[in-house]
Amino acid sequence: MTSHGQSAGGPAPSTGIGPTPGNERSTAGGLRTALSGRARGAVAIGIATVVLFLISAVLAPQSVSGGAISAMLPFAAILAVVAIGQTLVVQQGGIDLSVPGVFSLSVVVVTKLASSGTPGAIFLAVAAAFLIAAVAGAVSGFVVARLNVAPIVATLGMNALLIGATWAVSEGAARRTPTGLSDVIGSTLLGVPVTVVVAIVLTVVVGVVVRLTPTGRIFEAVGANPRVAVAAGIAPLRYTLGAYSVAAVLYAVAGVLLTGIVNTPGISEGNTYLLPSVAAVVLGGTSLLGGKGSVLASLIAAVFFTQVDRLASTLGLAYGWQILIQALALGLGVAFHSGFRPGGKRRAPAVEEPRKPVEVA
């Protein structure tokens, strides 16, 4: 008797997760394709960002002055941290709509628990914000992976719970940022804002873990094809839980960073980061179907969208126009990275040829 999917005396069939003698060439080709896709996304958004700054220099020179860029970079860094978290979720084939709730609750928790401004109170407040975010993200991931609830529904429900908790904790009133926190986060390191340093460090750490470690490679493989992962004996649950939980902690980090550079942050600060975070991920080339992604491209896209807002406000455009521009950029990003070309046909997805059945003696 032979086990399911294995011929008598023969090797086990390839799962596509790891290289085997029969699929080494296809694995190498797939890796080259993934790397070229990541590079293409980073290069494309990098060129678009350079073009945007050139346009800004022509239409509104004051928006690209030294002072304007110095004021823009901390907010771009905060959006980049949120986009990194959203990238991890999208790489698992999901989307996270709980960004506003996690972000806003983190702001409220930190400003309330650390109101005394002592180092100990600030540390405990930040730790509490991170812990709450991690638990909320893990619950969302569990509901998605184990209960098979659509990510949009699961994270939207979690967002509603977190928004309710935000209002309950804050009692509807904004609080001032503790002096000790603003002294640290609002400072610079070798002339670079601390928020920018944090965003760069997180981009490097997450990028290295996802792209250069065995766990990261399995993480991408699970996101690209969970069924193949299950067939290979890999449990997708922990990778989905990890993606949503780490993403939520990153949203909390962004909330803490914003708290440190704003005197009196509002209790709904996270609302302005949902659409830009999704748009940055998509414009950076991360596949909405899961799998490959680039946190570096997401970071560059965050700079792009922050400068778009800066240019729009400098030109005196209403906030509604800024939202329309973000939505348009999101649509163009989806069209570009899905293979649509004006006047051409959409790229057809590659289809593997069916394997011949294995005869069992």
Side-chain angles (χ1 to χ4, degrees):
M1 181 180 295
T2 60
S3 61
H4 177 68
Q6 183 176 358
S7 59
S14 170
T15 61
I17 296 296
T20 63
N23 72 350
E24 288 179 354
R25 183 176 302 175
S26 61
T27 301
L31 180 59
R32 285 194 297 270
T33 300
L35 291 176
S36 63
R38 291 191 184 98
R40 184 168 58 248
V43 170
I45 187 59
I47 293 174
T49 302
V50 172
V51 171
L52 173 63
F53 275 93
L54 293 176
I55 294 175
S56 300
V58 174
L59 297 181
Q62 62 271 35
S63 69
V64 291
S65 64
I69 292 179
S70 297
M72 177 270 291
L73 284 178
F75 293 96
I78 293 171
L79 176 57
V81 173
V82 177
I84 293 171
Q86 191 73 256
T87 300
L88 295 176
V89 174
V90 173
Q91 282 188 274
Q92 289 300 300
I95 190 169
D96 198 343
L97 302 185
S98 67
V99 171
V102 176
F103 193 107
S104 299
L105 183 57
S106 300
V107 170
V108 168
V109 167
V110 169
T111 54
K112 183 168 184 176
L113 297 185
S115 58
S116 64
T118 62
I122 292 175
F123 175 81
L124 291 176
V126 172
F130 290 172
L131 179 61
I132 293 171
V135 172
V139 171
S140 295
F142 180 84
V143 171
V144 170
R146 183 63 72 189
L147 303 183
N148 294 321
V149 176
I152 291 179
V153 177
T155 57
L156 187 62
M158 177 56 67
N159 184 67
L161 291 175
L162 295 173
I163 291 296
T166 299
W167 281 89
V169 172
S170 67
E171 299 177 345
R175 296 173 181 267
R176 290 186 60 84
T177 298
T179 304
L181 185 65
S182 60
D183 289 342
V184 175
I185 297 178
S187 62
T188 61
L189 184 62
L190 299 177
V192 181
V194 169
T195 52
V196 176
V197 174
V198 171
I200 293 175
V201 169
L202 289 175
T203 300
V204 173
V205 171
V206 175
V208 168
V209 171
V210 172
R211 296 179 59 177
L212 300 181
T213 66
T215 300
R217 288 191 286 270
I218 296 176
F219 175 83
E220 289 192 327
V222 170
N225 198 327
R227 293 183 179 179
V228 172
V230 172
I234 299 173
L237 175 61
R238 65 175 179 174
Y239 294 96
T240 304
L241 286 177
Y244 281 87
S245 187
V246 172
V249 172
L250 289 172
Y251 307 152
V253 171
V256 173
L257 293 178
L258 180 72
T259 304
I261 63 174
V262 176
N263 290 331
T264 307
I267 62 175
S268 58
E269 294 285 355
N271 291 341
T272 58
Y273 286 90
L274 177 56
L275 179 58
S277 70
V278 176
V281 172
V282 173
L283 205 60
T286 299
S287 173
L288 291 174
L289 301 177
K292 74 179 184 69
S294 172
V295 292
L296 174 60
S298 297
L299 180 144
I300 299 173
V303 176
F304 176 88
F305 278 106
T306 307
Q307 178 58 25
V308 166
D309 290 345
R310 178 73 58 175
L311 175 61
S313 61
T314 302
L315 293 175
L317 297 180
Y319 180 70
W321 283 104
Q322 298 179 33
I323 298 297
L324 289 176
I325 293 172
Q326 293 173 2
L328 177 61
L330 175 59
L332 292 176
V334 171
F336 178 82
H337 292 293
S338 63
F340 173 78
R341 299 292 184 274
K345 295 182 178 180
R346 187 181 185 275
R347 283 200 308 263
V351 179
E352 293 185 1
E353 295 182 1
R355 297 181 181 178
K356 295 181 180 180
V358 179
E359 296 183 1
V360 181

